Amino acid sequence: MDTIEIRGNAIAEKVYVECLQELQVLKAQGHLPGLAVVLVGDDPASRAYVGSKERKCQELGLHSVKIELPEDATQEVLIAQIEKLNADPAIHGILVQLPLPSHLDEDAVIMKISPAKDVDGLHPINIGKLAMDDATGFAPCTPLGCQRMLIENGMGISGKKVVIIGRSLLVGKSLGLLLLQKGEGGNATVTIAHSRTENLAQVASEADILVAAIGRPGFVTEDFIKDGAVVIDVGINRVDDASAKRGYRLVGDVDFAKVAPKCAAITPVPGGVGVMTIAMLMANTIRACRMAEEGEARN
Ligand code: NAP
């Protein structure tokens, strides 16, 4: 089978072109979207993600603020910081880089972010809006990126049987809600599988579109795949590799070599979903600015 590789970079570039167009309009009206990223502690992966977000803001010309707090920052200090950002009119999007150190209560922190600035889409108000097909909310960025890849791939979502392995709010569950919504990019028949799902390979092999968001390298093998399926690999896993400069390489949740020959289309890792997450964060931040300014204009 001639398998299409759905590459994130080309699709992310399209999203950035749209972002720049909207940014031009906003700037002409005197508005500059601002994103604040809050990093607690010194986890190298989190620091790298925050760095990429900051660089992309600079490249596009968004206002960007990085707040760094020490590993032992208290819940009170973190929440005080969020409240300050909530009140700052130059900031339209707030992202708290997860995971937080274990002494901090992530849910309580997310609850403190103003839903109108919650560009990561994890506040209960935004998750509720996602469930209610209310387009005024923000959906989480990785699911939005996966949906956009499926739309751009052009093989259709409406009416298709989608199986998502993974039920986190950050990825699996939210993507399920997004693809289930009525309207463009939705109308799928969605199954969400997880570690307790029985006969997982059998369930997965019924999918027209299979999404893996598990966090286990190479977990999805060819027996999970229906011939001609579209496969989206969200997983980003480090595996030791003495031949690599950094001593490790990144692999997905899908065993690409075994699975790709059976698929109509598949996303690679790296080079697939990863770059889409930042693109959708930029898009959400610009939309947050537009919505804030329209709200201001109405008041
Ligand atoms: P998570 O919160 O750990 O959730 C993992 C999910 O996989 C859980 O629902 C878990 O089931 C399920 N699972 C684990 N082992 C399983 C098994 N043996 N069989 C079936 N299901 C199993 O992880 P996450 O935050 O959703 O992230 C998933 C992956 O995506 C990770 O590799 C992460 O690095 C990656 N990721 C990538 C991006 C990106 O930008 N590309 C963004 C976010 C995450 P239970 O609920 O039953 O435990």
Side-chain angles (χ1 to χ4, degrees), residues 4-291:
I4 296 169
E5 252 191 48
I6 312 173
R7 300 201 66 88
N9 276 335
I11 301 171
E13 276 316 312
K14 279 182 91 165
V15 174
Y16 291 134
V17 168
E18 293 161 11
C19 285
L20 285 169
Q21 283 166 351
E22 176 64 358
L23 202 54
Q24 214 177 3
V25 175
L26 280 164
K27 282 183 175 172
Q29 293 167 346
H31 311 308
L32 180 62
L35 174 68
V37 180
V38 182
L39 174 67
V40 185
D42 212 18
D43 176 67
S46 292
R47 185 163 287 281
Y49 288 133
V50 167
S52 329
K53 287 162 190 170
E54 219 186 352
R55 275 194 300 281
K56 191 46 82 176
C57 280
Q58 281 158 8
E59 257 176 65
L60 291 178
L62 268 68
H63 170 53
S64 111
V65 173
K66 179 166 75 176
I67 311 284
E68 294 189 64
L69 297 176
E71 181 80 25
D72 61 355
T74 62
Q75 184 89 0
E76 291 69 31
V77 164
L78 176 54
I79 285 175
Q81 190 57 63
I82 290 169
E83 280 168 351
K84 221 165 125 188
L85 295 168
N86 281 341
D88 184 345
I91 295 298
H92 303 93
I94 302 170
L95 181 144
V96 176
Q97 185 65 43
L98 302 177
L100 290 172
S102 57
H103 67 283
L104 297 171
D105 179 346
E106 277 184 10
D107 290 348
V109 168
I110 289 164
M111 286 284 275
K112 287 290 174 187
I113 300 173
S114 160
K117 297 190 177 188
D118 169 40
V119 285
D120 219 11
L122 294 174
H123 190 286
I125 295 268
N126 283 318
I127 296 291
K129 285 185 174 184
L130 181 60
M132 294 170 78
D133 287 19
D134 178 341
T136 66
F138 294 100
C141 300
T142 302
L144 272 179
C146 294
Q147 182 193 42
R148 180 68 188 256
M149 291 180 108
L150 287 168
I151 293 170
E152 295 287 338
N153 173 247
M155 289 183 183
I157 300 173
S158 179
K160 294 286 193 295
K161 184 159 178 34
V162 176
V163 175
I164 300 166
I165 312 178
R167 57 175 160 180
S168 73
L169 207 51
L170 191 64
V171 190
K173 202 185 286 179
S174 300
L175 179 59
L177 289 171
L178 207 51
L179 299 182
L180 199 58
Q181 283 188 332
K182 290 183 180 166
E184 212 218 336
N187 290 328
T189 304
V190 177
T191 300
I192 301 183
H194 45 78
S195 65
R196 307 295 172 91
T197 300
E198 292 183 359
N199 303 321
L200 182 59
Q202 165 68 35
V203 171
S205 69
E206 287 167 18
D208 302 309
I209 298 169
L210 178 66
V211 181
I214 310 162
R216 291 178 179 246
F219 183 86
V220 172
T221 50
E222 67 272 36
D223 48 327
F224 284 61
I225 309 295
K226 174 164 108 176
D227 280 330
V230 174
V231 175
I232 304 287
D233 188 354
V234 183
I236 300 181
N237 309 289
R238 283 183 181 193
V239 294
D240 293 340
D241 182 350
S243 70
K245 212 165 107 190
R246 292 177 293 191
Y248 68 87
R249 67 197 155 85
L250 296 180
V251 299
D253 289 341
V254 175
D255 186 331
F256 189 90
K258 288 185 183 150
V259 166
K262 283 188 85 175
C263 302
I266 183 167
T267 62
V269 177
V273 176
V275 290
M276 290 303 296
T277 299
I278 295 187
M280 302 323 286
L281 175 67
M282 298 298 126
N284 270 356
T285 303
I286 291 168
R287 196 162 74 84
C289 176
R290 163 64 65 212
M291 284 162 65

